[in-house]
Amino acid sequence: MSQSDLNVSQQPASSTEAINKKSKGFSQQERAAMKERAKEERASKDRAEGEKDVLTKIAEMSESDRAIATRFHEIVKANTPDLSPKTWYGMPAYARDGKIVCFFQPAQKFQTRYATIGFNDSANLDEGMMWPVSFALKELNTEGEEKIIALIKKAVSQ
């Protein structure tokens, strides 16, 4: 291989090629969630306002997401009354001392095939060196409710 062959193969990509290879960035849904989060940070809300916001978000969901989110909200309220409902990135969430412990992510939010119940690092779910913090849900039955109750109780335990 000659020196000129090496030079040709090492030439930088044209600006058009570089632009086409760049990441497209955040999705429309991700940008919308970030805008909602910015609004949430600016708003000063008490527990009643937070619950009102959560119920409003749940009411806006598709029927399948709404059914699961409504039941999740009821479970959290009944089993962990010290958690305060609030929205987080436009999703129903539950906080202790201002820190999100758990949240519900509807399937429609990011156009996924299942809803998600997630826990943040303020949740006390640690088990050894690795443990799950997110759970997919396509529906919610009695067995699922029992698992969620156990998880949220553990998440707020000291």
Side-chain angles (χ1 to χ4, degrees), residues 92-133:
Y94 305 87
R96 179 174 51 196
D97 301 327
K99 294 181 180 180
I100 300 299
V101 174
C102 59
F103 60 91
F104 177 81
Q105 179 180 300
Q108 77 182 42
K109 180 99 176 153
F110 296 107
Q111 300 173 347
T112 59
R113 63 184 180 89
Y114 50 80
T116 305
I117 291 175
F119 295 86
N120 282 351
D121 64 336
S122 59
N124 186 23
L125 295 177
D126 304 32
E127 286 184 14
M129 65 172 235
M130 189 168 115
W131 56 92
V133 293

Side-chain angles (χ1 to χ4, degrees), residues 7-56:
N7 290 340
V8 168
S9 64
Q10 292 179 357
Q11 290 180 358
S14 72
S15 61
T16 305
E17 288 174 320
I19 290 171
N20 289 337
K21 289 183 181 181
K22 279 187 179 180
S23 168
K24 297 202 185 290
F26 294 108
S27 70
Q28 181 180 356
Q29 294 86 0
E30 290 167 326
R31 285 191 301 276
M34 288 185 286
K35 286 179 184 178
E36 287 202 62
R37 182 68 185 127
K39 283 185 213 173
E40 293 162 358
E41 282 294 312
R42 289 189 298 268
S44 169
K45 297 181 180 173
D46 63 17
R47 185 181 185 98
E49 286 180 89
E51 181 154 13
K52 180 181 172 194
D53 290 345
V54 164
L55 294 174
T56 298

